[in-house]
Amino acid sequence: MIPFNKPYLTGKETQYIEQSVSSGKISGNGQFTQKCQQFFEQKYGFKKCLLTTSCTDALEMAAILCNIQPEDEVIIPSYTFVSTALAFVRQGAKIIFADSQNNHPNIDAEQIESLITPKTKVIVPVHYAGMACDMDKIMSLAEKYNLLVVEDAAQAIDSYYKNKPLGSIGHLAAFSFHETKNIISGEGGMLTINDDRFIHRAEIIWEKGTNRAEFFRGEVNKYGWVDVGSSFLPSEIVAAFLWAQLENLDDIQKKRKEIWNNYYKGLKPLADKGYFQLPNIPEYATNNAHMFYLVCNSLENRSKLIAHLKENDILAVFHYLSLHNSEFYKNKHDGRILKNCVNFEDCLVRLPLFYELNKESVCNIINTIKI
Ligand SMILES: *Cc1c(COP(=O)(O)O)cnc(C)c1O
């Protein structure tokens, strides 16, 4: 059976974990945490990075930092993972779901302005498959209406919008290191803070509402309870694992892009004949090879393709169920029909993509799709 995903280990993970264990410091915000955060700040120019135990946690921190009050409105694409919306719902926000573009699962930036009201506070673009949303458009709306932008960059590590790293454009951004992402630590995530106004408070929220981080830098002589927060920081064991992955970031990305390009080349003739659509990379975006997906012509065709691959021991999977139609939110949604989102819900299928997927397997998958 070719699985959909297989977490890749670089080989140094357990060595670094042992190192952190024998150093006697295994709680959070130690040496490996600092190394990982500095790596991101230096490589991508994020102003401040804080590792978290998941991307969901990073989104929750972002929602607290945005100072969401009950009834505030947050604009989010409906075609996304639950956490994108959940983090803001927990702070009492009302979610205004936006549709996808007709040729890409990303939020249709052209529709956002019509959803803005005096209650709107935040826009949350999700860079689906690591491909950028139209950030110039979104940032200019944010400026015009005085809104905040939180990038859900869970899938978007090492990807760019017009040469700007994703995660560096919005006021805040959230990344994931869940085992299904390009760079992993089992569960894990990171908040990036690009607006100085939020840096001080972010550290406090991260450390259970205390000014502990300042205390350890010697900036205050005692620490105590100063704000809301939670235990958002991961242990050094998680950070040590992540460091082994970051050392191999370039190699991992190179390998994933090779696989992605082989899929694209191999499937292009079928796409040209109209059997399905290949991923459409916007001209302002790069591809970080987080995911290889096809968009079938109907739900029926997609079901047939998934079943056919399964009969041949290949696991392909569909993706999000529209959040505006979810059991939890459908009664709260304003009834607008989001047809592009529903189209991706019905027709999008993801093919296996992981570091150890060899060329023969990719050929085998392509040939199986051809039959
Ligand atoms: C994976 C993912 C998340 C959640 O990440 P966790 O680290 O599992 O909390 C959120 N949003 C998107 C778009 C994702 O792909």
Side-chain angles (χ1 to χ4, degrees), residues 1 295 350:
M1 191 85 189
V295 183
R350 296 174 291 159

Side-chain angles (χ1 to χ4, degrees), residues 215-267:
F215 174 72
F216 277 106
R217 281 196 300 264
E219 293 164 14
V220 290
N221 58 15
K222 57 185 188 325
Y223 79 88
W225 185 13
V226 294
D227 202 339
V228 295
S230 189
S231 186
F232 286 119
L233 72 174
S235 86
E236 277 290 285
I237 298 172
V238 172
F241 189 112
L242 183 63
W243 180 246
Q245 296 265 316
L246 291 180
E247 282 187 330
N248 286 271
L249 176 89
D250 291 340
D251 174 51
I252 292 171
Q253 289 299 91
K254 184 163 165 273
K255 188 70 196 282
R256 293 185 72 103
K257 284 178 195 170
E258 254 170 50
I259 298 170
W260 200 98
N261 289 331
N262 284 337
Y263 268 136
Y264 195 92
K265 263 186 269 152
L267 292 168

Side-chain angles (χ1 to χ4, degrees), residues 52-56 175-179 185-190 234 238:
T52 55
T53 50
S54 65
C55 177
T56 305
F175 286 90
S176 176
F177 308 120
H178 184 263
E179 72 167 23
S185 61
E187 302 280 352
M190 179 172 72
V238 172

